[in-house]
């Protein structure tokens, strides 16, 4: 039997009230209810895939992953494999298969099906699938209020399963109801009644009924029914009533807390359902986008052993409201800001990234074989320029080191600076010198922090983020966040 071994989720720390957006434009009769999740200025679909992947692999051996499929409609590059960067940040081995699935809100379940096929065929024992999105709605429009940002991840295999896949069903449908061309920054949608009546409502009903008929089951067979919502959230409950899905069976899409997270939405809802599931429960899971994919899951006794259980609820409640609407425009680069009163940053060195990918992306330092001192070398503060360590800072031994990962280490702030003149989309630029548990010291930019709360001795962890973007290059590295932020 094939199925899910583990799951992970990522909900950004920041949220924005929909009333805040409404009051900025007054282009709609009234604001939508609730709030939406907002990725920080240094987050994108790639960093959120890493965060969800880290959560999914908690307590598991990363080197046992045989393949990584990343899924998103908002990958940072049109020509460059995002899965390769995610694999490096997750410290997966290089002898794995990697692939990006894109161009559809259903690409996550397409990736999930492909991963299950690979496991079933025996070409991979374990496959990690991530889904993440950071879509943009045009200012003043409905999508700006309804969209949200987030990610989910699933590790698939044949052994130690928490949920078995009992059946699958797929429909493909050609319909240009929602789209974004290469020239578009914001998503577009055709007349909403036709999109929802002819697309979502009709196709999802047909797919869910088809899956039940194929499996010989009825809706009463399921403890939870999980399927994503369209742009009009009301269609989600209308479909449930049409299919006879009870209120206790229907998984909430968390629209008023997070918003529509695109490719990641169905997966994030499935994580929430699994966190409440018990052994023996059946879950009907589906996702829509130019057709629909449906999966029938049966939860196993292994659900009780999941180590990261409760992450969804913790992240949902661990939040901070964004300062104001102009902050959102600045973070998404929708408005141009005055340049910082400092020299421009040094351009990204592709050669340096190539030579030192293990140090920069996987955040490996070294540990002295003679005195056991961990150490990490930086050419400057928060720099992506590094030099491999050759001399031990403690005993002076030369070239006698073992590799030592820092990405999973926690630490405390030894010292810090706050710079209001440096270039930053979230000033002041805050840089901390971090002393790691077990040894080692290095400098990192801080993110998801309140500058007023930063202090010496503050416990911190590390998160994979974007340093800056120039010449079309996204420069990724690690930053420090308060432990109280990490969930």
């Amino acid at each position: 039997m094939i199925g899910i071994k583990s799951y992970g989720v990522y909900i950004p720390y920041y949220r924005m009230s929909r009333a805040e957006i409404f009051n900025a434009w007054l282009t709609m009769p009234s604001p939508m209810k609730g709030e939406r999740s907002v990725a920080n200025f240094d987050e994108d679909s790639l960093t959120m895939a890493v965060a969800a992947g880290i959560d999914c692999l908690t307590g598991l051996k990363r080197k046992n992953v045989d393949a990584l499929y990343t899924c998103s409609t908002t990958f940072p590059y049109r020509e460059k494999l995002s899965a390769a960067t995610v694999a490096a940040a997750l410290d997966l081995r290089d002898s794995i298969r990697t692939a990006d699935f894109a161009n559809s809100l259903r690409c996550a379940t397409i990736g999930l099906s492909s991963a299950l096929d690979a496991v079933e065929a025996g070409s991979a024992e374990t496959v990690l699938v991530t889904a993440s999105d950071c879509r943009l709605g045009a200012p003043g429009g409905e999508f700006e209020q309804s969209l949200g940002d987030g990610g989910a991840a699933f590790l698939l295999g044949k052994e130690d399963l928490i949920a078995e896949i009992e059946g699958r069903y797929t429909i493909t449908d050609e319909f240009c109801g929602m789209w974004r061309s290469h020239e578009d920054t914001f998503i577009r949608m055709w007349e909403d009644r036709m999109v929802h009546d002819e697309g979502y409502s009709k196709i999802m009903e047909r797919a869910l009924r088809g899956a039940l008929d194929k499996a010989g089951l009825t809706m009463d067979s399921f403890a939870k029914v999980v399927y994503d919502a369209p742009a009009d959230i009301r269609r989600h409950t209308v479909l449930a009533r049409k299919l006879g899905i009870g209120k206790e069976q229907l998984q909430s899409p968390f629209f008023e807390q997070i918003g529509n997270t695109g490719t990641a939405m169905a997966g994030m809802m499935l994580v929430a359902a699994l966190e409440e599931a018990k052994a023996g429960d059946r879950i009907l899971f589906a996702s829509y986008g130019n057709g629909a994919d449906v999966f029938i899951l049966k939860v196993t006794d292994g659900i009780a052993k999941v180590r990261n259980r409760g992450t969804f609820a913790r992240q949902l409640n661990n939040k901070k409201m964004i300062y104001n609407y102009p902050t959102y425009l600045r973070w998404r680069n929708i408005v141009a800001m005055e340049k910082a009163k400092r020299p421009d940053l040094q351009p990204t060195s592709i050669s340096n990234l190539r030579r030192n990918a293990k140090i920069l992306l996987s955040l490996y330092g070294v540990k002295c074989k003679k005195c056991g001192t961990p150490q990490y070398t930086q050419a400057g503060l928060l720099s992506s320029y590094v030099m491999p360590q050759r001399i031990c800072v403690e005993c002076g031994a030369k070239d006698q080191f073992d590799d030592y990962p820092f990405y999973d280490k926690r630490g405390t702030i030894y010292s810090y600076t706050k710079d209001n003149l440096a270039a930053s989309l979230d000033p002041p630029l805050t840089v901390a010198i971090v002393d790691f548990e077990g040894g080692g010291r290095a400098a990192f930019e801080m993110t998801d922090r309140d500058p007023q709360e930063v202090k010496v001795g503050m416990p911190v962890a590390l998160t994979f983020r974007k340093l800056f973007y120039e010449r079309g290059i996204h420069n990724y590295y690690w930053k420090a966040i308060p432990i109280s932020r990490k969930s």
Side-chain angles (χ1 to χ4, degrees), residues 33-53:
K33 293 181 180 178
E35 58 201 37
R36 54 157 295 180
S37 58
V38 177
N40 205 336
F41 75 94
D42 55 3
E43 294 183 292
D44 60 15
S45 57
L46 190 151
T47 66
M48 291 192 290
V50 172

Side-chain angles (χ1 to χ4, degrees), residues 1-7 60 112 115-116 119-120 124-127 154-167 274 277-281 296-307 309:
M1 184 65 76
I2 56 176
I4 299 173
K5 294 168 65 70
S6 178
Y7 59 77
L60 301 174
L112 200 65
L116 291 169
V119 172
E120 196 166 38
E125 291 188 10
T126 58
V127 183
F154 298 94
L155 186 66
L156 309 173
K158 287 183 177 178
E159 299 177 351
D160 302 322
L161 302 180
I162 62 171
E164 299 172 344
I165 305 296
E166 291 188 327
L274 288 170
K278 61 182 186 298
D281 283 352
I296 295 174
L297 285 69
K298 188 168 186 179
V299 179
T300 74
D301 294 337
I303 194 70
K305 302 175 184 175
V306 178
R307 298 186 182 188
R309 196 161 185 168

Side-chain angles (χ1 to χ4, degrees), residues 53 137 196 211 273 296 298 303 356 465 469:
H196 295 130
I296 295 174
K298 188 168 186 179
I303 194 70
N356 299 306
R465 296 294 175 91
Y469 172 83

Side-chain angles (χ1 to χ4, degrees), residues 219-234:
M219 206 57 81
D220 294 337
S221 307
F222 298 92
K224 276 294 181 193
V225 182
V226 182
Y227 56 91
D228 47 15
D232 182 353
I233 190 68
R234 295 169 297 184

Side-chain angles (χ1 to χ4, degrees), residues 61-264:
K61 293 182 178 178
R62 300 186 181 196
K63 300 300 183 186
N64 288 347
V65 175
D66 295 322
L68 169 66
Y69 297 166
T70 55
C71 313
S72 178
T73 65
T74 51
F75 282 125
Y77 293 103
R78 291 175 182 167
E79 183 173 333
K80 184 184 180 309
L81 197 62
S82 291
T85 308
V86 175
L90 291 176
D91 191 25
L92 306 182
R93 67 179 201 271
D94 60 7
S95 57
I96 64 169
R97 180 179 301 175
T98 52
D100 290 347
F101 290 74
N103 295 342
S104 169
L105 293 177
R106 188 164 57 94
C107 66
T109 49
I110 295 172
L112 200 65
S113 278
S114 299
L116 291 169
D117 289 343
V119 172
E120 196 166 38
S123 58
E125 291 188 10
T126 58
V127 183
L128 179 64
V129 179
T130 68
S132 54
D133 247 340
C134 188
R135 298 190 296 160
L136 282 177
E142 291 184 11
F143 287 126
E144 191 178 40
Q145 293 190 37
S146 65
L147 299 184
D149 308 319
F154 298 94
L155 186 66
L156 309 173
K158 287 183 177 178
E159 299 177 351
D160 302 322
L161 302 180
I162 62 171
E164 299 172 344
I165 305 296
E166 291 188 327
R168 290 188 269 170
Y169 189 78
T170 290
I171 288 178
T172 294
D173 179 51
E174 164 49 32
F175 180 39
C176 191
M178 183 175 287
W179 68 95
R180 179 165 50 88
S181 73
H182 285 292
E183 292 79 25
D184 290 328
T185 300
F186 308 109
I187 56 177
R188 299 172 183 261
M189 192 179 82
W190 188 240
E191 193 270 322
D192 57 351
R193 190 173 59 180
M194 181 176 183
V195 171
H196 295 130
D197 287 349
E198 287 298 313
Y200 176 84
S201 300
K202 188 175 288 186
I203 298 301
M204 279 293 267
E205 179 184 359
R206 191 177 138 207
L208 288 165
R209 290 191 189 281
L212 296 182
D213 290 344
K214 182 181 177 182
L217 298 171
T218 65
M219 206 57 81
D220 294 337
S221 307
F222 298 92
K224 276 294 181 193
V225 182
V226 182
Y227 56 91
D228 47 15
D232 182 353
I233 190 68
R234 295 169 297 184
R235 301 297 181 125
H236 187 257
T237 50
V238 168
L239 180 60
R241 286 198 296 269
K242 197 170 184 180
L243 289 167
I245 301 169
K247 288 185 179 179
E248 71 287 352
Q249 289 177 289
L250 185 63
Q251 176 60 52
S252 168
F254 301 99
F255 181 78
E256 292 187 14
Q257 294 82 28
I258 304 173
N260 189 318
T261 54
T263 298

Side-chain angles (χ1 to χ4, degrees), residues 165 429 473:
I165 305 296
L429 179 69
I473 302 169

